[in-house]
Amino acid sequence: TAPVLALVGATGAVGTVMIDIINTRSTVPWGEIRLIASPRSAGKKINVRGQDVTVIALSPEAFDGVDIAMFDVPDEVSAEWAPIAAERGAVAIDNSGAFRMDADVPLVVPEVNADQINNRPRGIIANPNCTTLSMMASLGALHREFELKELVVASYQAASGGGQAAIDRLYAEISALAGKEVGVVAGDVRETLEAAGLPISDSPFPAPLALNVVPWAGSLKDDGWTSEELKVRNEARKILGIPDLKVSATCVRVPVVTTHSLSVHATFAREVTVEAAHKIFEAQPSIVLVDDPAAKRFPTPADMVGEDPTYVGRVRQALDFPNTLDFFVCGDNLRKGAALNTYEVAEELAKRL
Ligand code: 2RA
């Protein structure tokens, strides 16, 4: 019988993209598609495959008969409800941080470690954080060939990584600043936002995001690192299966609505060349290589947002670091970074049910 797919968190920013993916991809002949959300959103109707589906409230019974449940809800909601879904017989694919580092929960990017899907003693599979995910297709492909040893990355993360409230805030800041008769210079941003009724105390970001960059994403962890930076380190190690991979990350929020970018400095055990890296990227179906420096062609969020593949460019052999490549990656954080990867795991799982 056709597998039943549930979507928990159907009305959020990522949930909305998941529904778009369900409506546009026909790789799996799903049976029922059940939409689940908080009681606040229950009763809403959402068009799925041409029919209005009524969102139901999260409850243990909501998982009865479900084969695969994709979760995109806050950590504490997943922590409580993914095990309940599993108890009721579903495999939960969770996009929160609740289970990513659990040794009994695989952390899966299908083109890198699809083999881990069957290794799920808790009935839960985790989806990586969007920042890590955006560079996994490229690093996984390079690692297979050259053996990754060290990774130094800086992220340029879009507002939508922080959810709908963060998107709304960026738009509100842009219109408050753009609406001024005289151009606002960077130094005036805080005062102008304050005067427009947008104090930083009301913002999901710790500083103005419009006309600015903010070297902060996530929460404070030991020794000044942010949760986001530690996720890049821990998750990259787990997905690539390199427990001692040396990783150093700096995560920065930029005034982009959607699509995370990363500047990657990756050192390998074996000799690497730009030409060999280009060939590897070109052979990977989930990567689009845009790398023509003479023509100033490289990936930018504005040129690829809404697309499924990761875009890679600016590939250079580091001048002063042996066996090292520098490159720039852009990945739509709501698609491959969240909804699409979760859905791709569901597709892989459906093949194995
Ligand atoms: C962010 N990576 O961009 C987070 C979202 N999961 O804020």
Side-chain angles (χ1 to χ4, degrees), residues 81-135:
W81 289 91
I84 295 174
E87 260 166 42
R88 297 255 160 178
V91 179
I93 307 171
D94 181 43
N95 190 33
S96 81
F99 300 99
R100 287 180 186 139
M101 298 317 297
D102 184 323
D104 290 328
V105 174
L107 183 63
V108 177
V109 181
E111 63 267 58
V112 181
N113 63 346
D115 54 307
Q116 293 298 312
I117 283 177
N118 287 340
N119 179 18
R120 43 167 207 277
R122 298 190 63 181
I124 301 170
I125 298 171
N127 195 63
N129 185 33
C130 45
T131 313
T132 318
L133 247 175
S134 301
M135 61 180 178

Short mmCIF file of all heavy atoms in Angstrom, two decimals, residues 81-135:
data_model
loop_
_atom_site.label_atom_id
_atom_site.label_comp_id
_atom_site.label_asym_id
_atom_site.label_seq_id
_atom_site.Cartn_x
_atom_site.Cartn_y
_atom_site.Cartn_z
N TRP A 81 7.73 14.93 20.80
CA TRP A 81 6.78 14.28 19.90
C TRP A 81 7.36 13.30 18.89
O TRP A 81 6.67 12.38 18.45
CB TRP A 81 5.92 15.34 19.19
CG TRP A 81 4.97 15.96 20.15
CD1 TRP A 81 5.17 17.08 20.92
CD2 TRP A 81 3.67 15.46 20.51
NE1 TRP A 81 4.08 17.31 21.72
CE2 TRP A 81 3.14 16.33 21.48
CE3 TRP A 81 2.91 14.36 20.09
CZ2 TRP A 81 1.89 16.14 22.05
CZ3 TRP A 81 1.65 14.18 20.65
CH2 TRP A 81 1.15 15.05 21.62
N ALA A 82 8.63 13.46 18.52
CA ALA A 82 9.20 12.50 17.56
C ALA A 82 9.20 11.08 18.16
O ALA A 82 8.82 10.12 17.47
CB ALA A 82 10.60 12.93 17.11
N PRO A 83 9.57 10.92 19.45
CA PRO A 83 9.49 9.56 20.03
C PRO A 83 8.05 9.04 20.08
O PRO A 83 7.83 7.83 19.92
CB PRO A 83 10.06 9.74 21.44
CG PRO A 83 10.92 10.97 21.37
CD PRO A 83 10.23 11.87 20.38
N ILE A 84 7.08 9.92 20.26
CA ILE A 84 5.67 9.47 20.28
C ILE A 84 5.28 8.98 18.88
O ILE A 84 4.65 7.92 18.74
CB ILE A 84 4.74 10.62 20.76
CG1 ILE A 84 5.06 10.96 22.22
CG2 ILE A 84 3.26 10.26 20.57
CD1 ILE A 84 4.33 12.17 22.78
N ALA A 85 5.70 9.72 17.86
CA ALA A 85 5.41 9.28 16.48
C ALA A 85 6.03 7.91 16.24
O ALA A 85 5.41 7.02 15.65
CB ALA A 85 5.95 10.31 15.48
N ALA A 86 7.29 7.73 16.72
CA ALA A 86 7.99 6.45 16.52
C ALA A 86 7.27 5.33 17.26
O ALA A 86 7.12 4.22 16.72
CB ALA A 86 9.45 6.58 16.98
N GLU A 87 6.83 5.62 18.49
CA GLU A 87 6.06 4.60 19.25
C GLU A 87 4.81 4.16 18.52
O GLU A 87 4.39 3.01 18.59
CB GLU A 87 5.57 5.21 20.57
CG GLU A 87 6.39 4.89 21.78
CD GLU A 87 6.00 5.83 22.91
OE1 GLU A 87 4.79 6.09 23.10
OE2 GLU A 87 6.93 6.30 23.59
N ARG A 88 4.23 5.11 17.81
CA ARG A 88 2.98 4.79 17.08
C ARG A 88 3.25 4.13 15.74
O ARG A 88 2.34 3.94 14.93
CB ARG A 88 2.18 6.07 16.86
CG ARG A 88 1.73 6.72 18.16
CD ARG A 88 0.26 6.49 18.41
NE ARG A 88 -0.09 6.68 19.81
CZ ARG A 88 -1.32 6.56 20.29
NH1 ARG A 88 -2.32 6.27 19.49
NH2 ARG A 88 -1.57 6.74 21.56
N GLY A 89 4.54 3.89 15.45
CA GLY A 89 4.86 3.11 14.26
C GLY A 89 5.39 3.90 13.07
O GLY A 89 5.70 3.32 12.03
N ALA A 90 5.51 5.21 13.23
CA ALA A 90 6.05 6.00 12.11
C ALA A 90 7.57 6.11 12.25
O ALA A 90 8.10 5.95 13.35
CB ALA A 90 5.43 7.40 12.13
N VAL A 91 8.27 6.36 11.15
CA VAL A 91 9.67 6.78 11.25
C VAL A 91 9.63 8.30 11.23
O VAL A 91 9.03 8.91 10.34
CB VAL A 91 10.53 6.26 10.08
CG1 VAL A 91 11.96 6.75 10.23
CG2 VAL A 91 10.49 4.74 10.02
N ALA A 92 10.24 8.91 12.26
CA ALA A 92 10.26 10.38 12.32
C ALA A 92 11.53 10.90 11.66
O ALA A 92 12.62 10.41 11.94
CB ALA A 92 10.20 10.82 13.77
N ILE A 93 11.37 11.86 10.75
CA ILE A 93 12.53 12.55 10.18
C ILE A 93 12.47 13.96 10.74
O ILE A 93 11.55 14.72 10.43
CB ILE A 93 12.49 12.58 8.65
CG1 ILE A 93 12.30 11.15 8.11
CG2 ILE A 93 13.78 13.19 8.10
CD1 ILE A 93 12.04 11.11 6.61
N ASP A 94 13.45 14.28 11.57
CA ASP A 94 13.33 15.49 12.39
C ASP A 94 14.32 16.56 11.96
O ASP A 94 15.52 16.33 11.90
CB ASP A 94 13.57 15.11 13.85
CG ASP A 94 13.45 16.34 14.73
OD1 ASP A 94 12.50 17.12 14.50
OD2 ASP A 94 14.30 16.53 15.61
N ASN A 95 13.80 17.75 11.72
CA ASN A 95 14.67 18.86 11.31
C ASN A 95 15.03 19.78 12.47
O ASN A 95 15.52 20.87 12.25
CB ASN A 95 13.98 19.65 10.19
CG ASN A 95 14.93 20.65 9.57
OD1 ASN A 95 16.13 20.41 9.50
ND2 ASN A 95 14.42 21.79 9.17
N SER A 96 14.80 19.37 13.71
CA SER A 96 15.22 20.23 14.82
C SER A 96 16.60 19.79 15.29
O SER A 96 17.18 18.84 14.77
CB SER A 96 14.23 20.10 15.99
OG SER A 96 14.53 18.93 16.75
N GLY A 97 17.10 20.49 16.31
CA GLY A 97 18.41 20.13 16.86
C GLY A 97 18.31 19.05 17.93
O GLY A 97 19.33 18.64 18.50
N ALA A 98 17.11 18.57 18.21
CA ALA A 98 16.91 17.71 19.39
C ALA A 98 17.68 16.38 19.32
O ALA A 98 18.13 15.89 20.34
CB ALA A 98 15.42 17.44 19.59
N PHE A 99 17.82 15.80 18.14
CA PHE A 99 18.39 14.44 18.06
C PHE A 99 19.66 14.34 17.22
O PHE A 99 20.20 13.26 17.05
CB PHE A 99 17.34 13.48 17.46
CG PHE A 99 16.08 13.41 18.26
CD1 PHE A 99 14.96 14.14 17.89
CD2 PHE A 99 16.03 12.63 19.41
CE1 PHE A 99 13.80 14.09 18.63
CE2 PHE A 99 14.87 12.57 20.17
CZ PHE A 99 13.75 13.31 19.78
N ARG A 100 20.11 15.48 16.67
CA ARG A 100 21.19 15.39 15.67
C ARG A 100 22.44 14.70 16.21
O ARG A 100 23.11 13.98 15.47
CB ARG A 100 21.54 16.79 15.16
CG ARG A 100 20.49 17.36 14.23
CD ARG A 100 20.90 18.75 13.76
NE ARG A 100 19.83 19.36 13.00
CZ ARG A 100 19.47 20.64 13.10
NH1 ARG A 100 20.12 21.44 13.94
NH2 ARG A 100 18.49 21.11 12.38
N MET A 101 22.77 14.94 17.47
CA MET A 101 24.01 14.36 17.99
C MET A 101 23.77 13.11 18.81
O MET A 101 24.68 12.59 19.43
CB MET A 101 24.79 15.43 18.78
CG MET A 101 25.22 16.63 17.95
SD MET A 101 25.87 16.22 16.28
CE MET A 101 27.32 15.27 16.73
N ASP A 102 22.55 12.59 18.81
CA ASP A 102 22.22 11.34 19.50
C ASP A 102 22.88 10.18 18.74
O ASP A 102 22.66 10.02 17.53
CB ASP A 102 20.69 11.20 19.52
CG ASP A 102 20.23 9.98 20.31
OD1 ASP A 102 20.91 8.94 20.26
OD2 ASP A 102 19.18 10.07 20.96
N ALA A 103 23.68 9.37 19.45
CA ALA A 103 24.42 8.29 18.78
C ALA A 103 23.48 7.27 18.16
O ALA A 103 23.87 6.55 17.23
CB ALA A 103 25.35 7.61 19.78
N ASP A 104 22.23 7.20 18.64
CA ASP A 104 21.27 6.23 18.09
C ASP A 104 20.38 6.84 17.03
O ASP A 104 19.36 6.26 16.66
CB ASP A 104 20.41 5.66 19.22
CG ASP A 104 21.23 4.75 20.12
OD1 ASP A 104 22.15 4.10 19.59
OD2 ASP A 104 20.97 4.71 21.33
N VAL A 105 20.72 8.02 16.58
CA VAL A 105 19.94 8.69 15.54
C VAL A 105 20.88 9.06 14.39
O VAL A 105 21.84 9.82 14.59
CB VAL A 105 19.24 9.96 16.09
CG1 VAL A 105 18.56 10.74 14.99
CG2 VAL A 105 18.24 9.58 17.19
N PRO A 106 20.67 8.51 13.19
CA PRO A 106 21.54 8.90 12.09
C PRO A 106 21.24 10.33 11.63
O PRO A 106 20.11 10.80 11.74
CB PRO A 106 21.19 7.89 10.99
CG PRO A 106 19.81 7.43 11.31
CD PRO A 106 19.63 7.54 12.79
N LEU A 107 22.29 11.01 11.14
CA LEU A 107 22.16 12.38 10.64
C LEU A 107 22.46 12.28 9.14
O LEU A 107 23.59 12.01 8.75
CB LEU A 107 23.18 13.26 11.37
CG LEU A 107 23.20 14.74 11.08
CD1 LEU A 107 21.88 15.40 11.48
CD2 LEU A 107 24.34 15.41 11.85
N VAL A 108 21.42 12.48 8.33
CA VAL A 108 21.54 12.01 6.94
C VAL A 108 21.46 13.13 5.90
O VAL A 108 20.57 13.98 5.94
CB VAL A 108 20.45 10.95 6.66
CG1 VAL A 108 20.51 10.49 5.20
CG2 VAL A 108 20.64 9.73 7.58
N VAL A 109 22.39 13.08 4.97
CA VAL A 109 22.32 13.85 3.72
C VAL A 109 22.40 12.79 2.63
O VAL A 109 23.45 12.17 2.46
CB VAL A 109 23.52 14.83 3.60
CG1 VAL A 109 23.43 15.64 2.31
CG2 VAL A 109 23.59 15.75 4.81
N PRO A 110 21.31 12.50 1.94
CA PRO A 110 21.29 11.30 1.08
C PRO A 110 22.48 11.15 0.14
O PRO A 110 23.01 10.05 -0.01
CB PRO A 110 19.97 11.43 0.32
CG PRO A 110 19.09 12.17 1.27
CD PRO A 110 20.00 13.16 1.97
N GLU A 111 22.95 12.23 -0.48
CA GLU A 111 24.05 12.02 -1.43
C GLU A 111 25.40 11.79 -0.73
O GLU A 111 26.39 11.51 -1.39
CB GLU A 111 24.14 13.16 -2.46
CG GLU A 111 24.44 14.53 -1.91
CD GLU A 111 23.16 15.32 -1.64
OE1 GLU A 111 22.32 14.84 -0.85
OE2 GLU A 111 23.04 16.44 -2.18
N VAL A 112 25.43 11.93 0.58
CA VAL A 112 26.68 11.70 1.31
C VAL A 112 26.64 10.39 2.09
O VAL A 112 27.57 9.59 2.04
CB VAL A 112 26.99 12.88 2.27
CG1 VAL A 112 28.31 12.65 3.01
CG2 VAL A 112 27.04 14.20 1.50
N ASN A 113 25.57 10.14 2.85
CA ASN A 113 25.55 8.97 3.73
C ASN A 113 24.16 8.31 3.80
O ASN A 113 23.67 7.99 4.89
CB ASN A 113 26.03 9.35 5.14
CG ASN A 113 25.12 10.38 5.81
OD1 ASN A 113 24.28 11.01 5.17
ND2 ASN A 113 25.27 10.52 7.12
N ALA A 114 23.57 8.07 2.63
CA ALA A 114 22.24 7.43 2.58
C ALA A 114 22.25 6.08 3.28
O ALA A 114 21.23 5.64 3.82
CB ALA A 114 21.79 7.27 1.13
N ASP A 115 23.42 5.43 3.32
CA ASP A 115 23.51 4.11 3.96
C ASP A 115 23.13 4.16 5.44
O ASP A 115 22.78 3.15 6.03
CB ASP A 115 24.94 3.57 3.80
CG ASP A 115 25.98 4.57 4.31
OD1 ASP A 115 25.94 5.73 3.86
OD2 ASP A 115 26.81 4.20 5.16
N GLN A 116 23.19 5.33 6.04
CA GLN A 116 22.86 5.46 7.48
C GLN A 116 21.36 5.39 7.76
O GLN A 116 20.94 5.24 8.91
CB GLN A 116 23.40 6.79 8.01
CG GLN A 116 24.91 6.88 8.05
CD GLN A 116 25.50 5.82 8.96
OE1 GLN A 116 25.08 5.64 10.09
NE2 GLN A 116 26.48 5.08 8.44
N ILE A 117 20.54 5.49 6.71
CA ILE A 117 19.09 5.55 6.91
C ILE A 117 18.55 4.32 7.64
O ILE A 117 17.64 4.42 8.46
CB ILE A 117 18.39 5.75 5.54
CG1 ILE A 117 18.53 7.22 5.12
CG2 ILE A 117 16.91 5.35 5.59
CD1 ILE A 117 17.95 7.54 3.77
N ASN A 118 19.14 3.17 7.35
CA ASN A 118 18.62 1.93 7.97
C ASN A 118 19.09 1.74 9.40
O ASN A 118 18.62 0.86 10.10
CB ASN A 118 19.07 0.73 7.15
CG ASN A 118 18.30 0.66 5.84
OD1 ASN A 118 17.22 1.24 5.72
ND2 ASN A 118 18.87 -0.03 4.86
N ASN A 119 20.02 2.60 9.83
CA ASN A 119 20.62 2.45 11.14
C ASN A 119 19.89 3.38 12.13
O ASN A 119 20.41 4.42 12.51
CB ASN A 119 22.11 2.84 10.96
CG ASN A 119 22.88 2.77 12.23
OD1 ASN A 119 22.46 2.13 13.19
ND2 ASN A 119 24.02 3.44 12.25
N ARG A 120 18.64 3.04 12.51
CA ARG A 120 17.82 4.00 13.27
C ARG A 120 17.10 3.30 14.43
O ARG A 120 15.87 3.14 14.41
CB ARG A 120 16.81 4.70 12.36
CG ARG A 120 16.09 3.79 11.37
CD ARG A 120 14.91 4.45 10.72
NE ARG A 120 13.95 3.46 10.31
CZ ARG A 120 13.97 2.75 9.18
NH1 ARG A 120 14.94 2.94 8.31
NH2 ARG A 120 13.03 1.86 8.94
N PRO A 121 17.85 2.89 15.46
CA PRO A 121 17.23 2.13 16.56
C PRO A 121 16.09 2.86 17.25
O PRO A 121 15.20 2.22 17.81
CB PRO A 121 18.40 1.88 17.52
CG PRO A 121 19.51 2.77 17.08
CD PRO A 121 19.29 3.07 15.64
N ARG A 122 16.09 4.18 17.23
CA ARG A 122 15.01 4.91 17.91
C ARG A 122 13.84 5.21 16.98
O ARG A 122 12.87 5.86 17.39
CB ARG A 122 15.54 6.24 18.49
CG ARG A 122 16.63 6.04 19.53
CD ARG A 122 16.94 7.34 20.24
NE ARG A 122 15.78 7.84 20.98
CZ ARG A 122 15.76 8.96 21.67
NH1 ARG A 122 16.86 9.69 21.76
NH2 ARG A 122 14.67 9.37 22.30
N GLY A 123 13.96 4.81 15.73
CA GLY A 123 12.88 5.14 14.79
C GLY A 123 12.89 6.61 14.40
O GLY A 123 11.89 7.16 13.94
N ILE A 124 14.05 7.25 14.62
CA ILE A 124 14.17 8.68 14.32
C ILE A 124 15.40 8.88 13.44
O ILE A 124 16.45 8.27 13.68
CB ILE A 124 14.31 9.52 15.61
CG1 ILE A 124 13.10 9.30 16.53
CG2 ILE A 124 14.49 11.00 15.30
CD1 ILE A 124 13.26 9.90 17.93
N ILE A 125 15.27 9.72 12.43
CA ILE A 125 16.39 10.13 11.58
C ILE A 125 16.46 11.65 11.68
O ILE A 125 15.42 12.32 11.62
CB ILE A 125 16.15 9.72 10.10
CG1 ILE A 125 16.04 8.19 9.99
CG2 ILE A 125 17.25 10.25 9.20
CD1 ILE A 125 15.58 7.71 8.61
N ALA A 126 17.67 12.19 11.85
CA ALA A 126 17.77 13.65 11.99
C ALA A 126 18.22 14.29 10.67
O ALA A 126 18.95 13.68 9.88
CB ALA A 126 18.75 13.99 13.10
N ASN A 127 17.75 15.50 10.48
CA ASN A 127 18.13 16.31 9.33
C ASN A 127 19.12 17.37 9.83
O ASN A 127 18.85 18.01 10.84
CB ASN A 127 16.87 16.99 8.78
CG ASN A 127 17.07 17.56 7.40
OD1 ASN A 127 17.34 16.83 6.47
ND2 ASN A 127 16.94 18.87 7.28
N PRO A 128 20.23 17.56 9.14
CA PRO A 128 21.22 18.53 9.64
C PRO A 128 20.72 19.97 9.64
O PRO A 128 19.75 20.31 8.96
CB PRO A 128 22.39 18.38 8.67
CG PRO A 128 22.19 17.07 7.99
CD PRO A 128 20.71 16.85 7.95
N ASN A 129 21.43 20.80 10.37
CA ASN A 129 21.18 22.24 10.36
C ASN A 129 21.50 22.80 8.96
O ASN A 129 22.40 22.30 8.28
CB ASN A 129 22.10 22.87 11.41
CG ASN A 129 21.86 24.34 11.59
OD1 ASN A 129 20.73 24.81 11.46
ND2 ASN A 129 22.91 25.07 11.88
N CYS A 130 20.74 23.82 8.56
CA CYS A 130 20.88 24.33 7.19
C CYS A 130 22.28 24.84 6.87
O CYS A 130 22.72 24.76 5.71
CB CYS A 130 19.86 25.42 6.93
SG CYS A 130 19.72 26.63 8.24
N THR A 131 22.99 25.34 7.85
CA THR A 131 24.33 25.89 7.57
C THR A 131 25.28 24.75 7.20
O THR A 131 26.02 24.82 6.21
CB THR A 131 24.84 26.65 8.80
OG1 THR A 131 23.79 27.50 9.26
CG2 THR A 131 26.06 27.47 8.49
N THR A 132 25.24 23.67 7.98
CA THR A 132 26.06 22.51 7.67
C THR A 132 25.65 21.92 6.32
O THR A 132 26.49 21.61 5.47
CB THR A 132 25.86 21.40 8.74
OG1 THR A 132 25.83 22.00 10.03
CG2 THR A 132 26.95 20.36 8.67
N LEU A 133 24.33 21.81 6.15
CA LEU A 133 23.80 21.14 4.95
C LEU A 133 24.25 21.81 3.67
O LEU A 133 24.51 21.14 2.66
CB LEU A 133 22.28 21.17 5.00
CG LEU A 133 21.59 19.83 5.16
CD1 LEU A 133 20.11 20.02 5.30
CD2 LEU A 133 21.92 18.88 4.02
N SER A 134 24.32 23.13 3.70
CA SER A 134 24.62 23.86 2.46
C SER A 134 25.97 23.48 1.87
O SER A 134 26.19 23.66 0.67
CB SER A 134 24.56 25.37 2.71
OG SER A 134 23.27 25.70 3.16
N MET A 135 26.88 22.98 2.67
CA MET A 135 28.21 22.64 2.11
C MET A 135 28.44 21.13 2.06
O MET A 135 29.51 20.68 1.66
CB MET A 135 29.33 23.32 2.90
CG MET A 135 29.36 22.91 4.35
SD MET A 135 30.70 23.73 5.22
CE MET A 135 30.40 23.07 6.85
#
